[in-house]
Every structure is written in C-alpha cells, then in structure tokens.
Amino acid sequence: MHAERNLLMQAEGACEAVRAYLDDVRDKVAAAVTQEGRIDPAALEREQRMVHGFAWAQTLLAGLEAGLDWARRGQACGRFGEMEDLVLHIAFGEYCGQLLGGLPMSQSEIVRPADFDAVDAAEHLRGDHNVVRFLETGNTAANRWRLAELVAEGARPDESLDDETLDLIRDQFRAFTAEAIAPHAHAWHLADALIPAEVVERMADLGVFAICIDEQYGGLGLGKLAMSVVSEELSRGWICAGSLGTRSEIAGELIGKNGTEDQKARWLPGLADGSILPTAVFTEPDTGSDLAAVRTRAVRQSDGSWEIHGAKTWITHAARADLMTVMARTDPADAGYGGLSMLIAEKARGDDVVRFPDHGLSGEEIEVLGYRGMKEYSLGFDGFKVAEHGLLGGAEGQGFKQLMQTFEGARIQTAARAVGVAWNAFDLALQYALDRKQFGKPIASFPRVSDKLALMLAEIVIARELTYSAARHKDRGERCDIEAGMAKLLAARVAWSVADNAVQIHGGNGYAMEYEISRVLCDARILNIFEGAAEIQAQVIGRGLLRSQVG
C-alpha cells in the first residue's frame, strides 16, 4: 500500500511538472498567434504546426491525468495490483518521453520542444525528480516484459467503472458481441454485406439505440458514459456494430435538444426502439469540414413543405435508413452559417433491389476499404419532398448551431469506438502471438513482440480512461468540446497504432484478407478521418485552449 501511494504521488508530481511545462509552451504559442490581445486567424493558420503540436501535448497530459484518476479509483477500492502498476509506469514513462523527445502527430510529423521555442522549459521538465523517475523506471524493457507476461497468463487491467449498472452493461454487451458479432464480422466484411437485420433487431432489444434518449420518449436516459461502454464493447467485435448507434445518437440529440414537442413525440420513440433507423446527411462533395460552404438548398413550397436540391456524400447507412437529418441552405441570401437549417426528412427504407425508392432522391454506393457494414453513399436530391413539420425546431437559420450541439457526444462515441477497435486488434495480436511458433517457441516470447503488446495495452487503457473522462464531463452537463476532441484525437491514434502493430505481429499473414486483422487495420484507419479529421481536432483543441487564455 505504501508503494502504491508513492507511485500515485510521483504520477501526480509528474503531471504537475508537465502542466508547468505546457503553461510555458502556451505562452510561446499565444505570443506567436495573437495580435493586440486577440487571436489572429492568419497567424493561427501560419503557425498550425506549433498550435497543433500544443494541442497534442495537452492531449497527452489529459491522458496522463485520466490514467492517474483511474489508478486512484482502483487503489481506493483495492483493485490496484501489479498489472495496474505496470500500465501506469509504462504510460507515464512513454508519454513523458514523447513530450521531451518527440511527439508524433502523424507518422512523419514529430513535434519537439524546439518547435515551441521551449527548450529551456523542457530541460526544466526533464530535471523534475518525478519525471526523471518515470523516464528511468517507467517504460523499461523489464516492465514491458513483465506486463506482457501477465497478459499472456490471462490477466487484464482494471476496467470497473465503480458503478454496478455500468459494469453489468459492459458484461452484457461483451457477451452479446462475443456471441452475435465477433464470429461473423469478418465474413460480413469480406462479403461487403450490411449487418443482418435480425442482428440490428437484437441490438434494438438490448437498448443500443435508446441509451441517451430521455425516458419519457421511450429511451433509457443513461448518458454518455453508458453510451461509451456500449460503443466500445460492440466495436470490440466490429466497428460497424458500434457505429450503428452513432446515427441514432446524433438524430436523438438533435431532436431531443432542438425539436418541438410534436417532433420529439413523433420521432424519438421510434429512434429509441430501433423501428426508425436514421442517417446523418451533412457532408457535401466539395465542403468537407467547411460546413459554412454547404450548397444543398431547401426551398419552401406554397403548402409549407420543402423541396431539397443538391448533392451529399459519405452518407452512412443511407439506403436502409428511414429518417434523414439534412443540413441545407434555406436562405440563399445568407452564404454563411446563418443561412443553414436542419431538416428531418422521412424516407422509404430501401432494399437490395431498389435502394432509394423515393421520388427526388437517388444514391450511388461508395466502395470502401473498411467500415463496410452499413455502406457509404453519395446522394442526389432533385426536388425531394420534406413535410412542413420537418424543419427542426420550427425555426430557420439554426441548423449549424443545432449540429454543433451534437459534436461533443459524437466525438466521445467515436473515441469509444476507437478504443473498441484497439481492443479488437490487441485481442487478435495477443492470440496470434501466443499461438504462432517460430524457432521452437511462441513469438510472444520474443522481446520485440512482447514490447509491442505491452505498449498496446498501456496506451489503450489511457485512451479508454480519457474517453470516459470526457463522457463524465458531458454527463455532468459541462461543456466538453476540448475534452471530447482530445479523447477522439488520442483514441484514433492509438487504434491505428495498435492495429498496425498487430498486423506486424501477424507478419505476412496479417496482409492476407482471410485474417481478421486485415479488416481491423482498414477499420482503424477511418477513425483519424471521420467525425473531424485529426488535423481538425487539433485545430479545435489548440484554438480553444488559446482562447481560454487570450480571449
């Protein structure tokens, strides 16, 4: 117990030292991008590398703080053992090392203290006795070997949420995923097939689509932490199972927060019980993340209804959906955000013969490497009809504001999906490393393999706890756009890193489509792109942190 307390005190001291270092970095970044006490947009763009590097550094700190909170909760309840000790040591040693030696924003973009003109501050951080301790005794070969050894014996790090209901939800969805998703996911992927309707129905019966919808409309009202657990466990079997709930999450939040009472009563119960499957229709071929440039038009008709004209792309699960939340320009005189409105558009569910049976709506499938279970489409609107009551909230010009309210939840859920994908890759890598024999012994016994497994595990735990931390902020009703962005940023990087290393552990077999890890690698790659690419996340985080200082 005394050793545990010492470790947690050292971790707390290391976090304090990193915070002090990043305070200095923030001053340097702020000086580079502000003019007359305000952020200069041109400078913010010119100094993107510095701003994004600062965002990444702050994200690592947030991850360490979340890991420390996890350790404290475990220690308080008697769940902090040798494995948890090793995970904390390795994570703190690795992330302190990255902050000082080089933090990867991508495979080829490494941020170092010199990029912030913070070499002196970094040397002060390097000299902090708590940081020194983790650099010397944290991510060591001996610790990695012992952690990999424990994992090979079947041990796993503490995952309790200190909430009996949430822990039961995890157990329930882990069992469901192991029985109904994981054994079939690769065959569905190879066939480029939709998740079978009967599986969707079973998910609906389990409450997947009702988690965050208010109880008065047939939902469970459980919040974002419960959503994160469910998304993680489903994605541990297949990302597409975890992602089915994302569409209902976005539609439910849009309508629940902004809809009229009639709109809530009309659509939320069906979203909650899974009888209505929605799709989000926001992205356009040439706009990407620049939502202010949306050109799809919605024109009000004499009877009060609307007609939509334009093109959308990367629309997930569009053919089988019953409801579309469509971002469209209702005021052509306003070329900015103020001209945008959100429409709730009912549509007929398509099938394998006729995917888009409605007049005025057509679609073409986009063939993709992974993330296949719902399919992606480009949609064309040519006079597609939307009823008068389809204007969200009954007010024009609110579409962008309404959509922004969903970003926190969507990014938290994406982070949870990334954690699940990372676990999937880890599970496959570990099993292969234990089964595969080379030179007379399992390849898990070779240090370069056990090193990979240990670092995978440590980073997954940190990404998971950062995701849960963001969800807790959201559940408390706190603004958490920065926290949600950090969770998504780190978890997506971890998912890709873990999947890539898992392929490496598989060797040549990892490149064969018959092996599941080939699917997981493709699925992991999308996480750095959708719901805000890594570069967009870093921009949002960096700008938000700087604004809190300079205004």
Side-chain angles (χ1 to χ4, degrees):
M1 185 68 71
H2 180 68
E4 291 174 12
R5 285 198 298 268
N6 281 345
L7 173 60
L8 299 189
M9 289 175 63
Q10 290 163 9
E12 183 176 356
C15 285
E16 290 176 357
V18 171
R19 275 193 292 272
Y21 164 67
L22 291 180
D23 284 346
D24 186 87
V25 169
R26 179 164 50 190
D27 290 342
K28 298 290 178 60
V29 177
V33 301
T34 57
Q35 186 173 4
E36 296 180 355
R38 300 189 67 81
I39 292 176
D40 175 18
L44 194 70
E45 182 174 319
R46 184 181 65 248
E47 301 296 343
Q48 260 190 11
R49 179 181 174 82
M50 178 185 280
V51 173
H52 291 195
F54 170 59
W56 268 104
Q58 287 281 6
T59 297
L60 289 199
L61 171 59
L64 293 178
E65 291 172 334
L68 174 57
D69 182 64
W70 164 75
R72 284 173 173 154
R73 286 185 287 107
Q75 194 270 342
C77 297
R79 300 192 307 267
F80 191 87
E82 182 184 10
M83 171 162 273
E84 290 71 30
D85 181 295
L86 289 165
V87 166
L88 200 68
H89 264 102
I90 291 169
F92 267 74
E94 174 61 21
Y95 283 3
C96 285
Q98 287 187 18
L99 287 164
L100 289 166
L103 195 170
M105 295 194 294
S106 71
Q107 286 85 339
S108 60
E109 297 169 289
I110 311 298
V111 178
R112 299 179 176 87
D115 293 307
F116 307 120
D117 190 24
V119 173
D120 290 343
E123 285 305 309
H124 186 73
L125 175 63
R126 192 187 302 276
D128 179 86
H129 69 279
N130 293 299
V131 172
V132 168
R133 183 82 170 164
F134 282 112
L135 291 174
E136 293 179 349
T137 68
N139 185 19
T140 64
N143 283 346
R144 294 191 299 271
W145 178 264
R146 179 55 182 158
L147 182 57
E149 191 174 50
L150 289 172
V151 169
E153 294 170 358
R156 295 293 182 272
D158 176 38
E159 62 184 9
S160 174
L161 288 155
D162 299 305
D163 183 302
E164 184 178 359
T165 298
L166 292 175
D167 289 339
L168 286 172
I169 287 172
R170 185 192 298 283
D171 292 343
Q172 180 184 34
F173 278 93
R174 183 168 296 174
F176 169 76
T177 300
E179 179 262 318
I181 303 296
H184 314 291
H186 202 56
W188 295 333
H189 164 82
L190 292 176
D192 195 11
L194 291 170
I195 296 178
E198 56 270 24
V199 176
V200 179
E201 291 171 5
R202 289 185 64 185
M203 291 171 64
D205 291 341
L206 287 170
V208 169
F209 310 116
I211 293 170
C212 293
I213 291 176
D214 195 282
E215 291 177 272
Q216 73 178 99
Y217 300 108
L220 298 175
L222 289 175
K224 304 302 182 185
L225 185 54
M227 174 200 70
S228 296
V229 172
V230 171
S231 298
E232 176 188 337
E233 291 301 329
L234 290 171
S235 298
R236 194 166 183 167
W238 191 21
I239 188 176
C240 295
S243 296
L244 263 176
T246 307
R247 267 117 285 286
S248 297
E249 169 74 16
I250 292 171
E253 192 158 10
L254 275 171
I255 297 169
K257 285 182 178 254
N258 305 287
T260 64
E261 285 305 314
D262 176 70
Q263 289 170 338
K264 293 176 186 179
R266 181 186 299 269
W267 286 303
L268 289 180
L271 290 171
D273 66 21
S275 60
I276 295 175
L277 296 179
T279 186
V281 185
F282 309 141
T283 307
E284 296 190 358
D286 298 318
T287 61
S289 298
D290 184 10
L291 289 174
V294 163
R295 291 182 293 187
T296 295
R297 295 175 294 115
V299 182
R300 192 187 289 272
Q301 306 301 297
S302 59
D303 62 358
S305 66
W306 300 85
E307 283 191 0
I308 302 179
H309 300 264
K312 297 287 187 177
T313 193
W314 293 110
I315 310 306
T316 305
H317 212 204
R320 194 157 66 175
D322 310 293
L323 193 71
M324 301 182 290
T325 49
V326 185
M327 178 75 82
R329 190 166 299 283
T330 53
D331 182 0
D334 188 337
Y337 296 125
L340 299 175
S341 300
M342 188 70 68
L343 296 175
I344 311 171
E346 297 176 87
K347 64 176 284 293
R349 184 178 295 195
D351 55 32
D352 291 338
V353 178
V354 182
R355 289 176 172 173
F356 297 96
D358 293 284
H359 175 74
L361 177 63
S362 60
E364 293 291 332
E365 183 180 349
I366 302 170
E367 294 186 357
V368 290
L369 294 172
Y371 197 56
R372 290 179 170 181
M374 294 174 289
K375 295 186 179 289
E376 303 293 323
Y377 296 92
S378 291
L379 300 183
F381 293 88
D382 185 13
F384 179 81
K385 283 275 192 180
V386 179
E388 181 179 6
H389 58 68
L391 179 65
L392 182 60
E396 291 187 48
Q398 301 300 305
F400 180 75
K401 294 178 183 177
Q402 292 165 343
L403 181 59
M404 288 293 288
Q405 293 175 355
T406 72
F407 279 2
E408 293 176 350
R411 285 169 178 167
I412 291 168
Q413 200 203 47
T414 301
R417 286 183 284 170
V419 172
V421 169
W423 278 126
N424 194 353
F426 175 81
D427 294 339
L428 293 170
L430 175 61
Q431 193 60 56
Y432 189 87
L434 295 173
D435 292 343
R436 177 72 167 175
K437 304 293 194 300
Q438 290 284 279
F439 308 105
K441 55 185 176 180
I443 63 172
S445 64
F446 292 103
R448 287 293 304 281
V449 175
S450 61
D451 276 357
K452 289 180 177 65
L453 292 170
L455 280 163
M456 285 179 188
L457 187 63
E459 284 210 280
I460 292 171
V461 170
I462 294 298
R464 181 190 71 192
E465 295 305 316
L466 184 56
T467 301
Y468 292 171
S469 175
R472 290 186 180 102
H473 279 287
K474 186 70 173 174
D475 284 341
R476 289 194 294 265
E478 300 166 358
R479 179 177 176 176
C480 61
D481 53 334
I482 291 175
E483 290 81 1
M486 286 178 169
K488 198 267 186 185
L489 187 68
L490 183 63
R493 185 185 85 168
V494 169
W496 174 248
S497 172
V498 172
D500 188 40
N501 277 311
V503 169
Q504 190 71 22
I505 288 172
H506 278 71
N509 287 334
Y511 206 62
M513 290 181 66
E514 68 180 283
Y515 281 81
E516 290 186 65
I517 192 59
S518 67
R519 176 193 84 243
V520 179
L521 182 76
C522 293
D523 290 345
R525 190 62 188 89
I526 192 62
L527 289 158
N528 260 315
I529 299 172
F530 67 10
E531 298 296 346
E535 293 79 6
I536 294 295
Q537 294 301 308
Q539 183 82 353
V540 170
I541 295 164
R543 184 177 57 206
L545 291 170
L546 291 169
R547 278 181 175 167
S548 68
Q549 177 178 340
V550 302

